[in-house]
Amino acid sequence: MINKCMLFLISFFCIFNVYAYDIEDPISLYQTNQNAVLQVQQRKFIWASPVWWGFNAEDATDYLQSAIDSGAKEIVIPNMGVPWIVKPIKLHSNQKITLLPGVIILAKKGEFKGRGDSLFSADNVENLVISGYGAALRMHKKDYQNKKEYEPAEWRMALSLTGCKNVIIEGIRCESSGGDGIYIGATHKQNYCENIVIKDVICDDNHRQGISVISAKNLTIENCSLLNTSGTAPEAGIDFEPNGDDEQLTNIMMKNCYINANKGAGVLVYLKNLKQTSTPVSINIENCIMKNDNDHGIAVGAVSEDGPKGELIFKNCYIEGSKRGGIVVYDKSSKGLDVIFDSCICFNTPDKQKGYPIKINQWRKSITSDIGNVLFNNCIVFDVYMRKPVEFDTVDKNCDIQKVRGTILIKGNSLLSIENKTSKKVDALIIKKLEK
């Protein structure tokens, strides 16, 4: 019993007061310590507290950046009772950054004037871990939206990863950025990020997206909340949108995420810049909830006849209250990748009488002259309104519709028919009543 109590007290002391290199000679996280800095520089300590270099409540940039630049394997950022106010911070390879509970890394007011200035940024970095359960990266979105003070931009990210490999982001809150909560993209050296894990993260009140995935290979996003995006389009919870045809979206898994109250779509997949010669798309989105988004819960679009191959799967996703509808697939050629909705539910969306829960549309004939290759596998539409569950519509009366198929089950007041505003047949899509 005594041994267990001693172990608990030692653990508590280490977490909240010291980060022990040697249990016989504990070193405080909260005090300036030039000897400890020397030990880090001599590679005798493998971890460091930025407070060893110093702390200034008005601007702690130099101290935090010095710790990160030191080459220590782990940087432990303590809660000083006030935020760590900083200018843009650059991250490095082969390092873990641990933010203890209550830590806020806060963008310095009046700084971040560069259109791409991000709070934390990693370019061509490998083997990086950022762990911040109960901690936050926080910026000043409203300041950056003031055109009198800042040049308008959408790239002031809370966390920017470009050309990175082997990265884990866990537990952190990314909020009020002037761009995305998290950006995952390319550099000239490497045109994708690889082996990225984002888990237990909250992205709230960001300017452009909760998360933007521009180019990624082997990406997992798990147990994340993407909330309240507003500022500049697309304003989605998450947006998968490559910038060029040499970029990729491969082996991506997003699961158990909660997406709510974004001004754009909950999930946006926009593939206009990929081509048939691009690496085939492979994205799985499972067990995610999209609620109360101002646009659609899920929007998939802009796949031309020369668009990418591959597979995009939504499985066991739940959509409720999105104002423009539950699911929209638009300007998506039947010659492009397979889009599959498996056991997804649209519940009372759109939230008013006008509109349709599911839409297969052509909006711009300049992108595609045909639409299709969409499968609905036992998806459910529950509706309080008496309206048809699915709409087909095209701007071009000659637009062909191919391979839209499967079964949609209806419940509530949903009608047992399709709203087909085109001259083409859509017999392969079956609407059935959900049996009790």
Side-chain angles (χ1 to χ4, degrees), residues 183-210:
Y183 177 90
I184 302 169
T187 62
H188 293 298
K189 184 177 179 180
Q190 177 162 298
N191 63 354
Y192 56 88
C193 283
E194 183 177 10
N195 303 333
I196 311 295
V197 175
I198 300 172
K199 63 179 181 179
D200 306 328
V201 165
I202 298 172
C203 294
D204 186 20
D205 185 41
N206 291 290
H207 179 63
R208 185 177 69 166
Q209 252 87 249

Side-chain angles (χ1 to χ4, degrees), residues 180-357:
D180 307 327
I182 300 175
Y183 177 90
I184 302 169
T187 62
H188 293 298
K189 184 177 179 180
Q190 177 162 298
N191 63 354
Y192 56 88
C193 283
E194 183 177 10
N195 303 333
I196 311 295
V197 175
I198 300 172
K199 63 179 181 179
D200 306 328
V201 165
I202 298 172
C203 294
D204 186 20
D205 185 41
N206 291 290
H207 179 63
R208 185 177 69 166
Q209 252 87 249
I211 299 176
S212 281
V213 183
I214 305 302
S215 188
K217 176 182 179 181
N218 305 332
L219 166 66
T220 298
I221 301 171
E222 183 176 6
N223 298 327
C224 294
S225 295
L226 311 175
L227 316 169
N228 302 309
T229 308
S230 68
T232 192
E235 302 170 295
I238 185 167
D239 178 19
F240 297 89
E241 185 177 346
N243 288 329
D245 61 8
D246 62 337
E247 297 178 338
Q248 62 179 285
L249 299 170
T250 56
N251 195 26
I252 294 173
M253 169 61 77
M254 179 178 178
K255 58 184 178 180
N256 304 325
C257 292
Y258 179 71
I259 303 166
N260 184 64
N262 299 284
K263 194 171 180 181
V267 176
L268 173 61
V269 184
Y270 189 84
L271 304 178
K272 185 175 184 290
N273 291 322
L274 293 185
K275 296 181 179 179
Q276 225 174 68
T277 54
S278 301
T279 303
V281 172
S282 53
I283 302 174
N284 284 270
I285 299 175
E286 297 184 2
N287 302 320
C288 291
I289 296 172
M290 302 89 174
K291 294 184 71 175
N292 306 316
D293 295 302
N294 200 58
D295 200 271
H296 297 84
I298 296 171
V300 178
V303 180
S304 70
E305 287 98 331
D306 185 40
K309 301 296 185 181
E311 198 170 58
L312 168 61
I313 301 174
F314 294 88
K315 184 174 182 179
N316 296 329
C317 291
Y318 177 86
I319 306 162
E320 179 181 346
S322 301
K323 289 182 170 52
R324 292 189 63 192
I327 296 168
V328 61
V329 181
Y330 65 97
D331 297 337
K332 193 245 162 244
S333 172
S334 63
K335 300 177 182 65
L337 81 165
D338 301 333
V339 177
I340 300 169
F341 296 94
D342 186 3
S343 304
C344 295
I345 298 173
C346 293
F347 186 89
N348 292 340
T349 177
D351 63 351
K352 295 183 179 179
Q353 175 73 52
K354 185 178 180 180
Y356 302 91

Side-chain angles (χ1 to χ4, degrees), residues 371-388:
I371 56 175
N373 196 13
V374 183
L375 172 64
F376 294 92
N377 181 35
N378 291 327
C379 293
I380 297 173
V381 171
F382 182 96
D383 213 334
V384 294
Y385 294 112
M386 292 183 65
R387 59 186 169 194
K388 296 175 183 179

Side-chain angles (χ1 to χ4, degrees), residues 28-45:
S28 174
L29 293 168
Y30 299 88
Q31 296 176 357
T32 302
N33 190 330
Q34 290 302 313
N35 182 58
V37 170
L38 181 62
Q39 299 296 313
V40 173
Q41 292 170 344
Q42 295 175 347
R43 300 295 185 263
K44 294 181 179 179
F45 284 4

Side-chain angles (χ1 to χ4, degrees), residues 172-187:
I172 197 81
R173 185 182 185 97
C174 300
E175 60 185 23
S176 302
S177 74
D180 307 327
I182 300 175
Y183 177 90
I184 302 169
T187 62

Side-chain angles (χ1 to χ4, degrees), residues 109-121:
K109 282 257 189 182
E111 297 291 339
F112 297 83
K113 293 290 187 177
R115 299 174 77 227
D117 284 351
S118 296
L119 189 53
F120 273 13
S121 60

